[in-house]
Amino acid sequence: MGVIVASSGFRQDTDDGWLEMGNDTMLVASRQTGRYFLRSLLIADGSIEGA
């Protein structure tokens, strides 16, 4: 099982099954289970985690 995440500049039509990820969001995927989720990089005060 693989995970594909596209960046800007690549054609990403919703008709092809692409979903838009918001800014400051990362995709976390498990190679063992195939489960995935989206995680915000923003902290409650609006700053970016790890910055």
Side-chain angles (χ1 to χ4, degrees), residues 4-49:
I4 298 174
V5 179
S7 62
S8 61
F10 182 79
R11 188 175 171 92
Q12 304 167 14
D13 289 333
T14 54
D15 292 340
D16 293 331
W18 291 99
L19 300 175
E20 183 176 336
M21 279 178 47
N23 291 334
D24 303 319
T25 302
M26 70 177 170
L27 176 69
V28 179
S30 169
R31 289 177 34 188
Q32 294 175 329
T33 65
R35 297 177 77 187
Y36 64 91
F37 61 93
L38 297 178
R39 178 176 168 211
S40 174
L41 295 175
L42 297 178
I43 300 174
D45 67 4
S47 60
I48 296 176
E49 184 177 332

